[in-house]
Amino acid sequence: MVNLGDIFPNFKAETTIGSIDFHEWLGGSWAILFSHPADYTPVCTTELGRVVQLVPEFSKRAVKMIALSCDDVVSHKGWSKDVMAYAKQSGDFPYPIISDKDRSLAVKLGMVDPAEKDAAGLALTCRAVFIIGPDKKLKLSLLYPATTGRNFAEILRVIDSLQLTASKKVATPVDWESGKPCMVVPSLSNEDAKKLFPNFTKVDLPSGKEYVRMTTEY
Ligand code: BEZ
């Protein structure tokens, strides 16, 4: 398992854009690696199609995208035409898909869904999401079972939070969206908070403790 803050493990893989060394492919960019159980399956088709539609949003945030499943590259290339048609998009498929036929990456990265098996009885990959920072460290991970499709609007929302909190001493509250008020991080003293966020406000609570400190400027 990869833990938050770990350097994401490097690997070599076959993909729809040829062989890659993952760290070389990352360069110094933010990236999302997301796995799905299998090609030519309905939920996966909706998910990869949604990501195709959201390419401009990922590009705006300078996040490289790469998908992964257990099928081979020939299968990925054939299926990606269905994904484009389903998503009503034209042109080349806009991001690479890794082939993990022997499940070595699925095992290495903790992405196996034991409940879902292929025709040969081999476990499939679950719906994992890894968001990796420019320092190649894991910033966020999600694991969904094969039977539950992900919400990529939520994934863009967490990328906004991750990118903001990487450089500012704020944390984003429940259901936060870009531009909405944030909280000053608990580790910052009131004195330092005043310097960074001159207009921050404290929320009155029964305990009298001033731990909920909001700022609209960040
Ligand atoms: C799907 O993508 O629809 C799917 C794949 C594996 C198991 C269940 C659903």
Side-chain angles (χ1 to χ4, degrees):
M1 254 336 253
V2 196
N3 293 314
L4 291 184
D6 286 353
I7 296 283
F8 201 81
N10 195 20
F11 57 83
K12 292 189 179 5
E14 294 306 315
T15 80
T16 48
I17 56 162
S19 307
I20 62 159
D21 171 288
F22 189 60
H23 279 192
E24 266 175 30
W25 178 83
L26 283 174
S29 178
W30 284 87
I32 176 169
L33 187 165
F34 60 103
S35 64
H36 57 276
D39 299 349
Y40 298 105
T41 50
V43 176
C44 300
T45 302
T46 63
E47 287 192 321
L48 270 77
R50 187 77 185 112
V51 176
V52 170
Q53 292 166 342
L54 291 173
V55 163
E57 292 299 321
F58 284 99
S59 302
K60 213 191 289 175
R61 293 161 177 81
V63 178
K64 293 175 96 169
M65 292 152 286
I66 193 160
L68 176 150
S69 87
C70 303
D71 295 297
D72 63 26
V73 166
V74 173
S75 166
H76 286 341
K77 285 186 174 170
W79 175 54
S80 64
K81 294 187 178 71
D82 284 2
V83 173
M84 292 299 274
Y86 181 82
K88 299 190 174 15
Q89 303 291 304
S90 55
D92 293 335
F93 197 75
Y95 54 88
I97 310 176
I98 297 170
S99 163
D100 186 31
K101 274 193 78 175
D102 65 0
R103 282 47 168 179
S104 56
L105 286 174
V107 170
K108 180 172 173 158
L109 300 173
M111 300 189 295
V112 175
D113 186 340
E116 297 297 336
K117 307 250 168 47
D118 69 7
L122 283 174
L124 298 174
T125 21
C126 68
R127 301 183 194 282
V129 176
F130 296 109
I131 298 175
I132 301 154
D135 54 5
K136 298 188 173 54
K137 290 183 179 169
L138 180 67
K139 305 299 178 187
L140 177 136
S141 64
L142 295 170
L143 291 183
Y144 280 39
T147 41
T148 302
R150 290 157 287 195
N151 180 332
F152 283 89
E154 165 64 2
I155 289 165
L156 289 171
R157 192 192 73 84
V158 298
I159 289 170
D160 286 340
S161 172
L162 292 169
Q163 292 186 335
L164 172 68
T165 59
S167 63
K168 301 279 168 68
K169 293 213 173 292
V170 292
T172 61
V174 62
D175 299 338
W176 175 85
E177 283 168 6
S178 189
K180 300 249 175 83
C182 290
M183 353 283 288
V184 177
V185 289
S187 57
L188 206 63
S189 67
N190 277 336
E191 198 183 18
D192 288 340
K194 196 82 198 154
K195 286 182 205 148
L196 290 176
F197 312 107
N199 299 316
F200 85 87
T201 56
K202 297 172 192 166
V203 176
D204 275 337
L205 292 168
S207 68
K209 296 181 194 291
E210 299 174 332
Y211 58 94
V212 182
R213 299 175 299 173
M214 307 294 302
T215 181
T216 51
E217 294 161 346
Y218 48 85

Coordinates of all heavy atoms in Angstrom, one line a residue, residues 23-56:
H23 N 7.8 7.5 -13.5 CA 8.4 8.7 -13.0 C 8.8 9.7 -14.1 O 8.7 10.9 -14.0 CB 9.6 8.5 -12.0 CG 9.1 8.1 -10.6 ND1 10.0 8.0 -9.6 CD2 7.9 7.7 -10.1 CE1 9.3 7.7 -8.5 NE2 8.0 7.5 -8.8
E24 N 9.3 9.1 -15.2 CA 9.7 10.0 -16.3 C 8.4 10.6 -16.9 O 8.4 11.7 -17.3 CB 10.4 9.1 -17.4 CG 11.9 9.2 -17.3 CD 12.5 8.2 -18.3 OE1 11.9 8.0 -19.4 OE2 13.6 7.7 -18.0
W25 N 7.4 9.8 -17.0 CA 6.1 10.3 -17.6 C 5.6 11.4 -16.7 O 5.0 12.4 -17.2 CB 5.1 9.1 -17.7 CG 3.8 9.5 -18.2 CD1 3.4 9.7 -19.5 CD2 2.6 9.9 -17.4 NE1 2.1 10.2 -19.6 CE2 1.6 10.3 -18.3 CE3 2.4 10.0 -16.1 CZ2 0.3 10.7 -17.9 CZ3 1.1 10.4 -15.6 CH2 0.1 10.7 -16.6
L26 N 5.7 11.2 -15.4 CA 5.2 12.3 -14.4 C 5.9 13.6 -14.7 O 5.3 14.7 -14.6 CB 5.4 11.9 -13.0 CG 4.5 10.8 -12.3 CD1 5.0 10.5 -10.9 CD2 3.1 11.3 -12.2
G27 N 7.2 13.5 -14.9 CA 8.0 14.7 -14.9 C 7.9 15.5 -13.6 O 7.9 14.8 -12.6
G28 N 7.6 16.7 -13.6 CA 7.4 17.5 -12.4 C 5.9 17.9 -12.3 O 5.7 19.0 -11.7
S29 N 5.0 17.1 -12.8 CA 3.6 17.6 -12.9 C 2.7 16.9 -11.8 O 3.0 15.9 -11.3 CB 3.1 17.1 -14.3 OG 1.7 17.5 -14.4
W30 N 1.6 17.6 -11.5 CA 0.5 16.9 -10.8 C 0.0 15.8 -11.8 O 0.0 16.0 -13.0 CB -0.6 17.9 -10.5 CG -0.3 18.8 -9.4 CD1 0.3 20.0 -9.5 CD2 -0.7 18.7 -8.1 NE1 0.3 20.6 -8.3 CE2 -0.3 19.8 -7.4 CE3 -1.3 17.7 -7.3 CZ2 -0.4 20.0 -6.0 CZ3 -1.5 17.8 -6.0 CH2 -1.1 19.0 -5.3
A31 N -0.5 14.7 -11.2 CA -1.0 13.7 -12.0 C -2.1 12.9 -11.3 O -2.2 12.9 -10.1 CB 0.1 12.7 -12.4
I32 N -3.0 12.3 -12.1 CA -4.0 11.4 -11.6 C -3.8 10.1 -12.3 O -3.8 10.0 -13.5 CB -5.4 11.9 -11.7 CG1 -6.5 10.9 -11.2 CG2 -5.8 12.4 -13.1 CD1 -7.9 11.5 -11.1
L33 N -3.7 9.0 -11.5 CA -3.7 7.6 -12.0 C -5.0 7.0 -11.5 O -5.2 7.0 -10.3 CB -2.5 6.9 -11.5 CG -2.2 5.5 -12.1 CD1 -0.8 5.1 -11.7 CD2 -3.1 4.4 -11.6
F34 N -5.8 6.6 -12.4 CA -7.1 5.9 -11.9 C -7.2 4.6 -12.7 O -7.0 4.5 -13.9 CB -8.3 6.9 -12.1 CG -8.5 7.3 -13.5 CD1 -9.6 6.7 -14.3 CD2 -7.8 8.3 -14.2 CE1 -9.8 7.1 -15.6 CE2 -8.0 8.7 -15.5 CZ -9.0 8.1 -16.2
S35 N -7.6 3.6 -11.9 CA -7.8 2.3 -12.4 C -9.3 1.9 -12.6 O -10.1 2.6 -12.0 CB -7.1 1.2 -11.5 OG -7.8 1.2 -10.3
H36 N -9.5 1.0 -13.4 CA -10.9 0.5 -13.6 C -10.8 -1.1 -13.8 O -9.7 -1.6 -14.2 CB -11.6 1.2 -14.8 CG -10.8 1.0 -16.1 ND1 -9.8 1.9 -16.4 CD2 -11.0 0.2 -17.1 CE1 -9.4 1.5 -17.6 NE2 -10.0 0.5 -18.0
P37 N -11.9 -1.8 -13.6 CA -11.8 -3.2 -13.6 C -11.5 -3.8 -15.0 O -10.6 -4.7 -15.1 CB -13.1 -3.7 -13.1 CG -13.7 -2.6 -12.4 CD -13.2 -1.3 -13.0
A38 N -12.2 -3.4 -16.0 CA -12.0 -4.1 -17.3 C -12.5 -3.3 -18.5 O -13.4 -2.4 -18.3 CB -12.7 -5.4 -17.3
D39 N -12.0 -3.5 -19.6 CA -12.5 -2.8 -20.9 C -13.8 -3.4 -21.3 O -14.2 -4.5 -20.8 CB -11.5 -3.1 -22.0 CG -10.1 -2.5 -21.7 OD1 -10.0 -1.7 -20.7 OD2 -9.1 -2.7 -22.5
Y40 N -14.5 -2.7 -22.1 CA -15.8 -3.2 -22.6 C -16.8 -3.6 -21.5 O -17.5 -4.6 -21.5 CB -15.6 -4.4 -23.6 CG -14.8 -4.1 -24.8 CD1 -13.5 -4.5 -24.9 CD2 -15.3 -3.3 -25.8 CE1 -12.7 -4.2 -26.0 CE2 -14.6 -3.0 -27.0 CZ -13.3 -3.4 -27.0 OH -12.5 -3.1 -28.1
T41 N -16.8 -2.7 -20.4 CA -17.8 -2.9 -19.3 C -18.5 -1.6 -19.2 O -17.9 -0.5 -19.4 CB -17.1 -3.3 -18.0 OG1 -16.0 -2.4 -17.8 CG2 -16.6 -4.7 -18.1
P42 N -19.8 -1.6 -18.7 CA -20.6 -0.4 -18.8 C -20.2 0.8 -17.9 O -20.1 1.9 -18.4 CB -22.0 -0.9 -18.5 CG -21.8 -2.2 -17.8 CD -20.5 -2.8 -18.3
V43 N -19.9 0.5 -16.6 CA -19.6 1.6 -15.7 C -18.3 2.2 -16.1 O -18.1 3.5 -16.1 CB -19.6 1.1 -14.2 CG1 -19.1 2.2 -13.3 CG2 -20.9 0.6 -13.8
C44 N -17.3 1.4 -16.4 CA -16.0 1.9 -16.9 C -16.1 2.8 -18.1 O -15.4 3.8 -18.2 CB -15.1 0.7 -17.2 SG -14.8 -0.4 -15.8
T45 N -17.0 2.4 -19.0 CA -17.2 3.2 -20.2 C -17.7 4.6 -19.8 O -17.2 5.6 -20.4 CB -18.2 2.5 -21.2 OG1 -17.6 1.2 -21.5 CG2 -18.4 3.3 -22.5
T46 N -18.6 4.7 -18.9 CA -19.1 6.0 -18.5 C -18.0 6.8 -17.8 O -17.9 8.0 -18.0 CB -20.3 5.9 -17.5 OG1 -19.9 5.2 -16.3 CG2 -21.5 5.1 -18.1
E47 N -17.2 6.1 -17.0 CA -16.2 6.8 -16.2 C -15.1 7.4 -17.1 O -14.7 8.6 -17.1 CB -15.5 5.9 -15.2 CG -16.3 5.6 -14.0 CD -15.5 4.9 -12.9 OE1 -14.7 4.1 -13.2 OE2 -15.8 5.2 -11.8
L48 N -14.6 6.5 -18.0 CA -13.5 7.0 -18.9 C -14.0 8.1 -19.9 O -13.3 9.0 -20.2 CB -12.8 5.9 -19.6 CG -11.6 5.3 -18.8 CD1 -12.1 4.4 -17.7 CD2 -10.6 4.6 -19.7
G49 N -15.3 7.9 -20.2 CA -15.9 9.0 -21.1 C -16.0 10.3 -20.4 O -15.8 11.4 -21.0
R50 N -16.4 10.2 -19.1 CA -16.5 11.5 -18.3 C -15.1 12.2 -18.2 O -15.0 13.4 -18.4 CB -17.0 11.2 -16.9 CG -17.3 12.4 -16.1 CD -18.6 13.0 -16.6 NE -18.9 14.2 -15.9 CZ -18.9 15.4 -16.5 NH1 -18.7 15.5 -17.8 NH2 -19.2 16.5 -15.8
V51 N -14.1 11.4 -18.0 CA -12.7 12.0 -17.9 C -12.3 12.6 -19.3 O -11.7 13.6 -19.3 CB -11.7 10.9 -17.4 CG1 -10.3 11.5 -17.4 CG2 -12.1 10.5 -16.0
V52 N -12.7 11.9 -20.4 CA -12.4 12.5 -21.7 C -13.1 13.9 -21.8 O -12.5 14.9 -22.2 CB -12.9 11.6 -22.9 CG1 -12.8 12.4 -24.2 CG2 -12.1 10.3 -22.9
Q53 N -14.4 14.0 -21.3 CA -15.1 15.3 -21.4 C -14.4 16.3 -20.5 O -14.5 17.5 -20.7 CB -16.5 15.1 -21.0 CG -17.3 14.3 -22.0 CD -18.7 13.8 -21.4 OE1 -18.9 13.8 -20.2 NE2 -19.6 13.4 -22.3
L54 N -13.8 15.8 -19.4 CA -13.2 16.8 -18.4 C -11.7 17.1 -18.7 O -11.1 17.8 -17.9 CB -13.3 16.2 -17.0 CG -14.8 16.1 -16.5 CD1 -14.8 15.4 -15.1 CD2 -15.4 17.5 -16.3
V55 N -11.2 16.6 -19.8 CA -9.8 16.9 -20.1 C -9.5 18.4 -20.0 O -8.5 18.8 -19.4 CB -9.4 16.4 -21.5 CG1 -8.1 17.0 -22.1 CG2 -9.3 14.8 -21.5
P56 N -10.3 19.3 -20.5 CA -10.0 20.8 -20.4 C -9.9 21.2 -18.9 O -9.1 22.0 -18.5 CB -11.1 21.5 -21.0 CG -11.8 20.5 -22.0 CD -11.5 19.1 -21.3

